[in-house]
Amino acid sequence: MDGWTSHIPESPSPIDRPRVRDLLSTRLRHTRVLLVTAGAGSGKTTAVAEWCKRRAFGERIAWVSVTRDASPAHFWWQTRHALLSAVVSPSTVGGDLANSAGQPPVTRAGKAELDRLRRTITMIGAPTILVVDDLHYLRDVGVLEQLRDLIEHAPPDLQVVLVSRSDPAMRLHRLRIRGELAEVRARDLAFDTGEVTRLFAEYDVTLSDPQVRALLDRTDGWAVGLRLAAMSLEPDAVDQGITRFTGDERTVMEYLTGEVLSHVPEPVRRFLLRTSVAERLTVSLAESLGGGTADALLARLAREDELMIRATRDGREYAYHPLLREMLYHQLSLEDGALRDQQHGRAAAWYAAGGDVAEATRHALLSRDPEVSVRVLLTMTIPEILAGQGDTAMTALRETAGRGGDPLVDALHAAARHAYERDAASLSADVDETGRHLAGLPTDVAEAGQTALSLLGMTSSVLRTGGAGDLDEVRNVVRRLREGALALSPAAARYQPVAETHLGVELMWTGQTAESEWHLRAAADNAEHQRLEGLRTQCLSHLAVLDARNGALASARHRAESALREVGDTATAHLALAQVSLQQADFDQAARHVVLGLAADESMMDRRAHLAVRLTAAELLLAHDAPAKAAATVAQVRAEAEETQAGTPLLRHWIDLVEADARLAGADYATVAEQLRDRVGDGDLLPAELIRLAQAELGLGRTKQAEQLLQPILAEEPTSVAAVEAWLVQAAVQDRRHDEAAAEDARRHAMDLAAPERLRLPFLRTPGKSRRIELAVDAGAAAPALLEALTERELTVLRYLPTMRGNTEIGECMFVSVNTVKSHLKAVYRKLAVSNRREAVNRARELHLL
């Protein structure tokens, strides 16, 4: 039996791979030893053989191929004769070389052959490369250590290339430390996109870029896998062939079984089958699936054969080769389908405990266990989708469509999918179907089911009308989540911010702004704790709209910009920024946000926001002196709101205000007065409506009535916008009475209120002196020099000082702690050379900073 060859093997590659040859040359150029390790079929022998044949530097090549049944004597004897064949002529070697065709003498011991090899190595006088292929078959640790010793003490003319499926049991650390060892791994030998394209061209198959990427994803660039795929694909059905080329394809199974699994002990084989349900493994997950300690086993498998399992770069996870995992999974399904389902259930529990919604969903549905599937769908999947960030969960749902086999599982699967896809009609039917199958569930799951049905119903309502439905029902859901049987469960924590967001948004659009702000703040905090970024930014966007409507423009801008940074375009965030820019008379920016708001995708809660954005467009038309166009836009919005049932109290109020402004701009005072007068006695006019009525009365010459309407607002100053508008109308009243001092005081009061938030629009809407004063102040006189320039954050704090907000409230508006506010104030006082808040305001006005 000839267990050895001393010549370079004939293993031609179907394509030339200069990239790999150059890599081998570069790695060995400045080292003595090159270790090439990769799994079966990775092309390592072919790559090294082709590289040896094309060497152009004059080195001699001695090639040794190890076989499974090699003894130490065989190894040393053949290594010696491979070297002799490379460096001297056959006539010089004489009888020794003649013996190389047969076996070494049976009486010759391994130690004797090793001593002869040492003497031969000292005779090498020319650059020589010794290649030891299939080193993984040499398992005698003593022989491996002797080989290492030979390498370390070899003359400089000898370089060694070790080719193996796994790292040899040799202490190579000293060579690594001295920089005398280079390595080539499976990832270096993997085919790249260009090589895949050229390989398949050899088989008359032309690939597109997506097809190349699909094959690389499927094979990991594995040489044999790609060649098997190339041989199996039909040129006119490439996509179908790639889809069918999996680990359970016959040729792939035969190769992997023969070259990989046939050498694996039975306990390891069982471990591989049990863990094949997971695409990636941690030690903890492997132990949950394999039923025993897995740390050392995973590390050994990754070290011995990267084709079988490979560690990620940080060493925290392991991954089977995709084709191997598919083959193992197919084998598990054939041998024990019930065990496969149980393993998916175990994986679902492990991923659920770690909060991985997508993987928990996928494995729960693949487990075919209704109890596991229902629990995961109700407590993880549906809350994630309702929170607006179910992309990965939806991928899992699509992968497992039709796998449930249980009426409740199928109904919940459909409901989750249709909620994500915003299919209102189908979702409504899913809610009804799910309700018919909830009986008999464990208490916590049943409660989660009822909550899910309520919230899914609200979502369906939002999709149809823009609103979540009955406000009392939304309140009841929030209360149940806080106080009911579900309150202490993990599911409640996930549903709570969803329900509270629904409540906060509904309260905002019904005009209950104070309560709305409280719930939206609570929902935002909860969502941040749960890492539900989409839901948190939804809350921030609506809080920004509330701020903008109340005149807290700095806070509105901060919240809306934060929302846009975190999730991209939303109509609600652009609405808030359009309102801020409008109030600050930055009409170009306002128009930009109107366009972006109208172009933004409508999410579940944005239909009313889109209508409000169109109202902002009407307000911009008014700012550009186009009242007729503004009135036409308002009429369209009103009709659409009524048609889609999106006309909430806040939106109707907003429509009425912009319509009144359009009429006032067109001097149609009588119509505005007629529409609003009858409601004065009922006490249900809001401050903004009282101001419009006062303007109409003033336009009709009813000065006294106008002043009377303004008095409650001037006394309370409900918001900065309404207060500024009221004081400017009061100035107009005093102008009508020719009381210039009183008019000037009113305008100055309006300017003081407008300064912190840089409100300009009310001044531009007011004819005469108010407009001229605003423009003059905006231009400003040259300001005296500061001791030191204020930072942007210090300027923001400064703008809050003329208001009634305390330090804590300022911090809340700026999303910073009260201590941070105090630190900014200290810096402001120092730079302005003042000692208190009032002095800071006065000094800032002198410097035209306010």
Side-chain angles (χ1 to χ4, degrees):
M1 178 186 66
D2 183 6
W4 305 90
T5 60
S6 59
H7 61 276
I8 300 172
E10 291 296 330
S11 54
S13 173
I15 62 166
D16 185 26
R17 302 183 71 192
R19 175 185 66 84
V20 177
R21 289 202 313 275
D22 292 344
L23 176 67
L24 292 170
S25 296
T26 301
R27 296 280 168 90
L28 190 59
R29 184 168 298 151
H30 302 295
T31 59
R32 295 177 55 198
V33 182
L34 177 63
L35 177 61
V36 181
T37 53
S42 58
K44 55 188 179 297
T45 297
T46 299
V48 175
E50 289 295 310
W51 171 72
C52 288
K53 293 174 183 176
R54 295 172 183 251
R55 294 287 291 171
F57 302 108
E59 300 98 334
R60 301 167 187 264
I61 306 295
W63 188 288
V64 179
S65 294
V66 185
T67 57
R68 289 189 181 91
D69 54 358
S71 67
H74 280 88
F75 176 65
W76 299 129
W77 179 81
Q78 188 62 26
T79 302
R80 174 172 176 265
H81 281 274
L83 285 167
L84 288 172
S85 299
V87 301
V88 298
S89 66
S91 60
T92 305
V93 179
D96 280 340
L97 185 59
N99 287 337
S100 67
Q103 293 298 303
V106 294
T107 58
R108 190 173 292 160
K111 184 177 184 305
E113 288 298 334
L114 176 59
D115 291 339
R116 288 161 63 89
L117 175 60
R118 286 193 175 104
R119 288 194 297 272
T120 300
I121 289 176
T122 62
M123 298 166 52
I124 296 174
T128 303
I129 295 175
L130 171 63
V131 179
V132 182
D133 190 21
D134 288 334
L135 184 61
H136 49 276
Y137 289 134
L138 192 61
R139 298 184 178 277
D140 188 315
V141 176
V143 174
L144 289 168
E145 278 301 299
Q146 289 168 341
L147 176 60
R148 176 194 58 78
D149 185 68
L150 277 176
I151 292 171
E152 287 192 355
H153 295 92
D157 286 336
L158 180 65
Q159 293 178 294
V160 180
V161 178
L162 303 175
V163 184
S164 176
R165 290 185 181 179
S166 59
D167 286 349
M170 302 166 66
R171 292 178 296 172
L172 299 173
H173 58 279
R174 282 184 292 193
L175 290 170
R176 282 194 179 94
I177 292 171
R178 294 199 298 261
E180 296 179 348
L181 175 70
E183 298 180 64
V184 171
R185 297 286 182 174
R187 65 180 69 90
D188 300 313
L189 297 173
F191 275 55
D192 63 18
T193 55
E195 291 165 342
V196 172
T197 301
R198 288 189 284 113
L199 172 64
F200 278 73
E202 289 292 317
Y203 292 87
D204 297 322
V205 177
T206 302
L207 298 176
S208 65
D209 289 344
Q211 289 167 343
V212 171
R213 288 193 295 271
L215 281 164
L216 284 174
D217 288 342
R218 184 64 54 85
T219 64
D220 243 8
W222 181 42
V224 165
L226 286 165
R227 291 187 69 174
L228 291 173
M231 290 186 289
S232 69
L233 294 187
E234 296 291 338
D236 56 350
V238 175
D239 286 329
Q240 297 90 324
I242 293 174
T243 301
R244 289 194 302 268
F245 186 73
T246 61
D248 56 5
E249 202 271 339
R250 182 181 60 81
T251 57
V252 177
M253 285 192 68
E254 289 175 353
Y255 185 91
L256 291 173
T257 301
E259 293 293 329
V260 180
L261 288 189
S262 62
H263 312 306
V264 171
E266 183 58 27
V268 176
R269 179 180 178 276
R270 287 198 303 270
F271 174 84
L272 295 175
L273 290 175
R274 283 172 169 268
T275 54
S276 65
V277 297
E279 294 184 359
R280 298 182 83 83
L281 290 170
T282 64
V283 172
S284 172
L285 176 57
E287 290 174 348
S288 296
L289 297 173
T293 304
D295 195 357
L297 177 58
L298 285 170
R300 179 168 64 82
L301 291 174
R303 185 173 62 251
E304 290 181 353
D305 193 342
E306 283 196 350
L307 173 63
M308 185 179 297
I309 192 167
R310 180 183 301 173
T312 54
R313 295 199 175 187
D314 60 9
R316 296 178 182 177
E317 290 186 337
Y318 297 84
Y320 291 116
H321 187 283
L323 292 175
L324 176 65
R325 193 191 74 82
E326 289 169 355
M327 186 271 280
L328 290 168
Y329 186 79
H330 177 70
Q331 195 65 33
L332 175 63
S333 300
L334 290 175
E335 293 182 11
D336 196 340
L339 176 60
R340 175 204 60 203
D341 295 345
Q342 290 171 12
Q343 293 300 92
H344 278 301
R346 292 187 178 102
W350 188 88
Y351 280 114
D356 189 328
V357 177
E359 285 301 306
T361 300
R362 189 170 71 86
H363 285 286
L365 291 166
L366 289 174
S367 75
R368 296 177 170 83
D369 184 331
E371 183 176 345
V372 172
S373 298
V374 168
R375 184 176 292 276
V376 170
L377 285 168
L378 285 176
T379 61
M380 298 190 76
T381 316
I382 290 175
E384 187 88 350
I385 288 174
L386 291 177
Q389 52 190 68
D391 291 351
T392 56
M394 189 61 201
T395 300
L397 289 173
R398 291 193 181 106
E399 290 176 359
T400 54
R403 301 288 186 93
D406 176 84
L408 179 55
V409 173
D410 291 342
L412 289 171
H413 191 290
R417 189 173 69 254
H418 292 139
Y420 178 87
E421 294 170 351
R422 295 184 289 182
D423 183 344
S426 298
L427 179 57
S428 181
D430 297 333
V431 170
D432 294 339
E433 179 67 18
T434 301
R436 287 193 281 269
H437 299 289
L438 282 181
L441 293 176
T443 303
D444 62 327
V445 181
E447 184 69 20
Q450 292 297 337
T451 301
L453 284 185
S454 297
L455 292 173
L456 287 168
M458 292 176 201
T459 301
S460 176
S461 176
V462 166
L463 293 171
R464 292 193 313 272
T465 69
D470 184 73
L471 191 57
D472 289 337
E473 182 184 351
V474 184
R475 290 184 193 275
N476 286 334
V477 173
V478 172
R479 185 168 57 253
R480 286 205 313 270
L481 286 168
R482 287 181 175 172
E483 303 169 2
L486 195 64
L488 299 179
S489 71
R494 295 187 180 96
Y495 280 120
Q496 180 72 40
V498 177
E500 199 121 44
T501 300
H502 271 298
L503 180 56
V505 170
E506 289 309 303
L507 288 168
M508 184 190 89
W509 288 109
T510 55
Q512 302 175 61
T513 55
E515 189 181 358
S516 168
E517 183 173 359
W518 189 92
H519 285 287
L520 287 172
R521 281 176 178 269
D525 291 342
N526 200 341
E528 183 175 17
H529 178 71
Q530 300 269 348
R531 296 182 180 178
L532 300 173
E533 289 84 2
L535 202 63
R536 176 177 175 272
T537 53
Q538 194 172 25
C539 295
L540 289 180
S541 297
H542 285 84
L543 284 167
V545 172
L546 286 173
D547 284 339
R549 297 295 295 170
N550 290 330
L553 303 186
S555 176
R557 183 182 296 279
H558 181 82
R559 282 172 163 158
E561 289 177 346
S562 296
L564 292 178
R565 279 195 303 271
E566 293 182 24
V567 299
D569 284 351
T570 67
T572 314
H574 284 299
L575 167 63
L577 289 172
Q579 281 290 308
V580 170
S581 299
L582 178 68
Q583 291 295 336
Q584 293 179 340
D586 187 349
F587 299 135
D588 289 342
Q589 278 298 308
R592 173 177 173 270
H593 286 295
V594 164
V595 171
L596 292 173
L598 294 174
D601 289 338
E602 288 196 40
S603 70
M604 291 181 182
M605 298 185 181
D606 273 354
R607 179 172 296 176
R608 294 164 297 193
H610 274 255
L611 293 174
V613 171
R614 290 169 60 188
L615 285 175
T616 306
E619 292 179 281
L620 271 172
L621 289 170
L622 286 174
H624 287 97
D625 297 323
K629 291 182 179 180
T633 300
V634 172
Q636 292 172 357
V637 171
R638 186 188 294 278
E640 187 172 330
E642 292 174 355
E643 181 182 348
T644 60
Q645 304 176 46
T648 62
L650 177 61
L651 197 58
R652 288 196 298 271
H653 169 66
W654 203 332
I655 291 171
D656 291 341
L657 284 183
V658 181
E659 185 178 61
D661 286 337
R663 293 185 185 281
L664 292 171
D668 187 0
Y669 305 120
T671 302
V672 175
E674 181 181 349
Q675 290 176 342
L676 295 176
R677 275 176 189 158
D678 293 340
R679 294 170 53 198
V680 174
D682 299 333
D684 62 347
L685 284 183
L686 296 174
E689 292 171 315
L690 285 171
I691 293 167
R692 269 63 179 180
L693 179 55
Q695 288 177 288
E697 298 287 15
L698 186 61
L700 294 170
R702 296 164 57 88
T703 307
K704 182 177 180 180
Q705 287 82 349
E707 188 170 24
Q708 288 174 344
L709 291 166
L710 294 173
Q711 292 312 305
I713 304 172
L714 299 178
E716 296 181 10
E717 295 185 354
T719 69
S720 59
V721 175
V724 169
E725 290 176 339
W727 280 108
L728 289 175
V729 177
Q730 175 69 2
V733 169
Q734 299 305 326
D735 281 333
R736 187 68 60 87
R737 291 177 171 165
H738 306 291
D739 188 340
E740 293 186 7
E744 188 66 17
D745 286 344
R747 291 189 185 91
R748 286 295 175 185
H749 201 89
M751 291 174 63
D752 288 343
L753 292 172
E757 303 290 351
R758 298 185 177 180
L759 274 170
R760 293 183 60 204
L761 185 65
F763 295 90
L764 296 175
R765 281 179 173 171
T766 305
K769 294 181 179 179
S770 295
R771 181 166 185 148
R772 290 197 301 274
I773 289 174
E774 192 279 332
L775 292 173
V777 171
D778 187 62
L786 282 168
L787 297 176
E788 182 182 346
L790 298 179
T791 67
E792 186 62 31
R793 301 298 278 174
E794 289 164 3
L795 283 169
T796 302
V797 172
L798 178 62
R799 290 167 192 142
Y800 282 105
L801 296 189
T803 70
M804 299 298 291
R805 288 187 173 93
N807 292 345
T808 300
E809 291 173 300
I810 294 173
E812 289 175 351
C813 292
M814 295 177 63
F815 297 92
V816 297
S817 69
V818 66
N819 289 332
T820 301
V821 173
K822 290 179 180 178
S823 177
H824 288 318
L825 279 175
K826 185 176 180 181
V828 168
Y829 292 169
R830 176 179 59 80
K831 293 177 181 181
L832 293 178
V834 298
S835 58
N836 58 51
R837 186 167 181 158
R838 180 179 294 277
E839 291 177 359
V841 171
N842 292 336
R843 176 65 173 153
R845 285 173 176 160
E846 292 173 6
L847 297 171
H848 302 291
L849 295 174
L850 293 177

